Amino acid sequence: MDSSGGCPHAANAALLAKGAAAEVLLPGDVPAAAVLGHEALKEFIGHPDVAKNARHFTALREGRIPDGWPLRTFATVQGMVTSDGDDHRRLRSLVSKAFTARRVEALRPGIERLTDELLDGVEAAAAGADRGGAGSDGAEGDGADSGGADSGVSDRAGDGVVDLRALFALPLPMRVISELLGVDEEFRDRLHVLSNQVVATDIGPEEAVAANREMVAVLSAVAASRKAHPGDDLTSALIAAREEDGDRLGEAELIGTMIVMIIAGHETTLNLITNAVRALCAHRDQLELIRAGGADWTDAVEETLRWDSPVSFFPFRYPTRDLTVDGTLIPAGTPVLAGFSAAGRDPAAHGPDADRFDIGRRTRSTTRHLSLGHGAHYCLGAPLARMETTIALRRLFGRFPDLRVAVPEEELPRHRSFVGNSVRELPVVLR
């Protein structure tokens, strides 16, 4: 796996041409596997002999994975994503109360107000850029993953270019998930920077350890604040929750659940909004189809999830016995990546034109993408991510119908990770 990330689609196509699964090497030359084909991935995710708990990760159990390994958090964080069976059901039931259809729908008016407020800021920044100011001033930055000297946005100050990712696609889901969890504003920017570092696959051992320790420290401070001053938020509810046997959520489980919620709750939607804007700007005919009433914004969201999944390769699952997937033997205890971006463009599932962005596809096909998971570990926040992205696209293009990306696609800096799939900035011209 290329630890520096980049656009995954060409490499995915080459791997898929050889089979639905592949042996791969993770950073540090850790042997692993990736399942890339749509049907193979769907079957593997739901297989009764495939687990999420890292006690099945042979190399980790035998002490061969160092503390500074960049992907270690994905294996060792305690929470829903690393649990199976009764433990998984217990943790998921505690969190799922925040994501019922009624509670998600109740968030709509606030998300709409926030979207309009952020778009006001985008317009003001563009006006400032036209007058010679920096188009991304005041944005919540991407820290280790952001612009600086190679930004491309600041280089164009004075021509109305603004970084839509920093000013809009990032703060929208970050504020929503922070308010849902009860994260005070003082912590939010730092948590975004840290989550970028946690999901990076090219980070050094010392940086990885430091980022994980600080993430735990910051979220422990959030939890302490909520313990002292409970509110109508998920963290307060998790702290107060008791199981039938009277046990509270353990401290490590609480912090682990918060880590997963912060990362999944904003990074995925951030990438989804960014990728959808890029796709629609590059395919103006599809944008016009929506405006003409031939499709709607939910179609654009679903096609983006398939065509340019916000998560490329998600770690980890482990076979509990030797399994053969499309001719590739995956020994028991092997860490396996779920290749969502590859499965989304698998011609065997989505047809010979699987690499074409077509928002009418889902009305013609019975095959549904796997980008938000499948089965017991299907993404709890999927309805919220879909709502946020649909609102964002409708209001963004409704307000700025001529919005365009200011640089060619190949010049956009990519994530330095093979986990997340997007670009690190999105310079646009509004009119």
Side-chain angles (χ1 to χ4, degrees):
M1 303 299 297
D2 183 357
S3 61
S4 64
C7 183
H9 299 302
N12 288 348
L15 284 172
L16 269 174
K18 299 177 181 178
E23 297 177 9
V24 298
L25 277 179
L26 299 177
D29 291 337
V30 175
V35 180
L36 311 102
H38 175 95
E39 288 300 324
L41 181 57
K42 185 176 180 180
E43 181 179 349
F44 185 81
I45 286 174
H47 200 288
D49 296 317
V50 171
K52 293 280 281 180
N53 192 303
R55 66 187 177 87
H56 300 287
F57 184 176
T58 301
L60 181 68
R61 189 176 65 246
E62 294 177 352
R64 292 186 277 121
I65 302 297
D67 287 345
W69 192 52
L71 294 165
R72 189 180 175 100
T73 297
F74 287 101
T76 59
V77 66
Q78 292 191 39
M80 290 182 298
V81 297
T82 54
S83 59
D84 301 300
D86 290 343
D87 273 347
H88 175 253
R89 284 186 287 273
R90 175 176 63 89
L91 293 168
R92 190 175 176 98
S93 68
L94 289 171
V95 178
S96 63
K97 296 178 179 65
F99 293 98
T100 62
R102 181 190 298 180
R103 291 203 67 170
V104 170
E105 186 58 33
L107 297 173
R108 182 182 295 275
I111 293 172
E112 291 175 339
R113 286 193 298 272
L114 175 57
T115 300
D116 291 339
E117 173 191 322
L118 291 171
L119 290 177
D120 288 343
V122 170
E123 189 159 27
D130 275 332
R131 293 192 295 270
S136 57
D137 278 358
E140 296 182 59
D142 266 351
D145 215 20
S146 69
D150 64 349
S151 168
V153 176
S154 57
D155 293 343
R156 294 173 176 80
D159 61 3
V161 175
V162 291
D163 184 353
L164 193 71
R165 185 177 188 274
L167 289 167
F168 181 62
L170 191 165
L172 176 59
M174 188 64 184
R175 290 191 197 177
V176 171
I177 195 62
S178 294
E179 290 175 11
L180 195 63
L181 282 169
V183 175
D184 296 330
E185 191 167 350
E186 63 185 286
F187 298 116
R188 295 176 188 177
D189 284 358
R190 191 58 189 158
L191 283 174
H192 172 67
V193 172
L194 291 169
S195 66
N196 268 194
Q197 293 173 330
V198 168
V199 302
T201 50
D202 70 341
I203 192 169
E206 292 183 2
E207 292 176 286
V209 170
N212 279 281
R213 285 178 178 168
E214 188 179 353
M215 175 74 90
V216 170
V218 171
L219 290 177
S220 295
V222 172
S225 175
R226 297 282 66 81
K227 286 178 184 176
H229 307 286
D232 184 21
D233 58 77
L234 181 57
T235 302
S236 297
L238 290 173
I239 291 169
R242 287 182 181 272
E243 289 300 291
E244 292 179 3
D245 60 5
D247 290 337
R248 292 185 186 275
L249 196 67
E251 186 70 18
E253 290 177 326
L254 173 64
I255 300 303
T257 297
M258 293 173 71
I259 289 173
V260 170
M261 296 291 290
I262 283 288
I263 295 176
H266 91 281
E267 289 278 355
T268 302
T269 308
L270 160 61
N271 289 350
L272 178 55
I273 294 171
T274 302
N275 292 357
V277 171
R278 289 165 48 227
L280 289 167
C281 285
H283 301 84
R284 308 301 293 199
D285 60 322
Q286 302 294 291
L287 192 54
E288 292 307 316
L289 183 62
I290 297 172
R291 289 176 174 149
D296 59 36
W297 296 108
T298 59
D299 295 321
V301 172
E302 295 309 310
E303 181 65 351
T304 302
L305 282 164
R306 181 201 69 82
W307 185 74
D308 205 11
S309 172
V311 175
S312 193
F313 289 92
F314 191 78
F316 289 117
R317 285 175 168 82
Y318 318 95
T320 58
R321 63 174 178 85
D322 292 357
L323 292 178
T324 299
V325 179
D326 195 29
T328 296
L329 174 65
I330 306 178
T334 300
V336 181
L337 300 171
F340 293 124
S341 63
R345 295 198 185 190
D346 182 1
H350 301 289
D353 66 343
D355 62 351
R356 184 167 68 92
F357 183 74
D358 175 10
I359 62 175
R361 186 185 305 272
R362 77 171 182 143
T363 62
R364 302 190 305 268
S365 173
T366 58
T367 303
R368 297 292 177 251
H369 65 77
L370 302 173
S371 292
L372 294 171
H374 173 70
H377 286 272
Y378 184 78
C379 177
L380 261 180
L384 180 58
R386 286 181 163 113
M387 177 190 287
E388 289 179 83
T389 308
T390 302
I391 291 171
L393 295 177
R394 179 185 294 118
R395 281 172 139 72
L396 173 68
F397 285 105
R399 187 160 174 173
F400 308 115
D402 297 322
L403 180 142
R404 61 181 175 83
V405 180
V407 300
E409 173 70 20
E410 59 271 16
E411 293 183 17
L412 295 173
R414 303 286 310 195
H415 271 317
R416 294 195 287 264
S417 170
F418 56 73
V419 178
N421 173 42
S422 193
V423 296
R424 290 185 282 122
E425 62 180 42
L426 187 59
V428 302
V429 176
L430 303 181
R431 297 184 173 91

